[in-house]
Amino acid sequence: MNIEPPAMPYDFADLEPAMSRDTLVFHFLRHQRVCFDRMLAMVRGSELEALPLDELIRVTECIPAQHTLYRYAAEVWNHNLFWRSMRPRGGGAAHGAVGEHIRTRFGSYERFTREFKETASAQFGSGWLWLVWRDDALEILATSNAATPLVRGDTAILALDLWEHAYYLDHQNRRAAYVSAFLEELVDWDFANRTLANLAVSSDAPAARVRTVTETDRGRLSVR
Ligand SMILES: [Fe+2]
């Protein structure tokens, strides 16, 4: 298996009081870890077992018969990015290159936060909110259920889990309060800046570009 088990980049209580220890314990152990275990059970002994996580997601997304596996794998990837999008004593206005791109794209950080909150509120049911890099600009994007921008060629700069399990213990049904806490006390703009910087490096190196899923892949991997 080429996929590492999920790991938290901080202790469960480190995000308090903005996000409680109980929320992180349940979220990590009862949601992400369950997706990882089910994904592992489905790929064990097959050709898919050799794929890294991002490749497994791209390949299974193309194959309707593999969509249950795709959803588990995407949820593992999405949560990995979500944990790293937060840090203890985070939050506040974006700085560095990401801050400059936010001002260019949205006019000001305040306008960005307004659109970020509005997009989160408009997402019906479970899903994810993303800040992505697309066509040389930042975009706010919402996806439903386990859907991930990874398969659309966007580069995810930040992830925010909009499933109720991410905020119900702390905020009950008040999604807006959870999104505000993320922006004001949790978001890690240093991580966003590192992701953007790495993207600039990798886009100059053809060997590091994303490999396209081929028809051969689809045919080979759909047979188990
Ligand atoms: Fe989640």
Side-chain angles (χ1 to χ4, degrees):
M1 186 75 190
N2 276 331
I3 302 173
E4 292 290 320
M8 296 290 288
Y10 30 72
D11 289 337
F12 290 123
D14 283 353
L15 300 185
E16 292 190 330
M19 183 174 286
S20 68
R21 180 184 182 280
D22 281 356
T23 287
L24 273 187
V25 167
F26 277 96
H27 202 165
F28 180 71
L29 297 177
R30 303 283 173 80
H31 293 278
Q32 190 190 23
R33 185 71 204 199
V34 167
C35 289
F36 178 80
D37 290 344
R38 290 178 179 172
M39 173 190 76
L40 206 61
M42 294 183 77
V43 300
R44 189 171 285 131
S46 77
E47 288 180 284
L48 296 169
E49 192 173 14
L51 296 179
L53 182 59
D54 55 350
E55 191 84 356
L56 176 65
I57 292 166
R58 291 190 183 96
V59 168
T60 53
E61 196 268 342
C62 301
I63 305 165
Q66 297 282 15
H67 270 199
T68 300
L69 173 56
Y70 159 72
R71 285 190 284 269
Y72 288 137
E75 280 291 89
V76 172
W77 190 91
N78 292 351
H79 283 93
N80 283 345
L81 191 72
F82 176 46
W83 310 138
R84 287 177 289 151
S85 296
M86 301 183 290
R87 69 175 175 87
R89 295 170 299 285
H95 55 265
V98 171
E100 291 175 19
H101 283 294
I102 282 177
R103 285 186 288 277
T104 299
R105 171 64 182 81
F106 300 96
S108 68
Y109 183 72
E110 288 69 30
R111 287 186 184 177
F112 159 76
T113 60
R114 198 179 315 147
E115 187 170 332
F116 195 82
K117 293 173 182 176
E118 288 172 353
T119 308
S121 296
Q123 171 60 32
F124 183 78
S126 299
W128 290 83
L129 189 67
W130 308 91
L131 183 63
V132 302
W133 185 252
R134 174 192 290 174
D135 298 332
D136 297 326
L138 292 173
E139 296 288 344
I140 297 169
L141 179 73
T143 57
S144 294
N145 299 317
T148 176
L150 182 67
V151 297
R152 298 287 171 255
D154 295 328
T155 297
I157 303 295
L158 290 174
L160 177 60
D161 193 336
L162 295 182
W163 291 60
E164 276 192 345
H165 64 235
Y167 57 87
Y168 209 85
L169 290 179
D170 292 338
H171 302 282
Q172 293 75 53
N173 63 332
R174 300 189 301 275
R175 180 184 282 178
Y178 161 67
V179 177
S180 291
F182 175 80
L183 289 169
E184 294 164 16
E185 302 175 70
L186 293 170
V187 62
D188 186 353
W189 291 116
D190 290 335
F191 170 73
N193 275 303
R194 287 195 299 274
T195 304
L196 195 62
N198 289 339
L199 178 65
V201 171
S202 64
S203 66
D204 291 335
R209 286 181 186 149
V210 171
R211 175 176 161 273
T212 304
V213 177
T214 66
E215 289 302 321
T216 306
D217 285 331
R218 295 178 195 186
R220 177 167 56 91
L221 295 169
S222 62
V223 177
R224 285 196 58 188

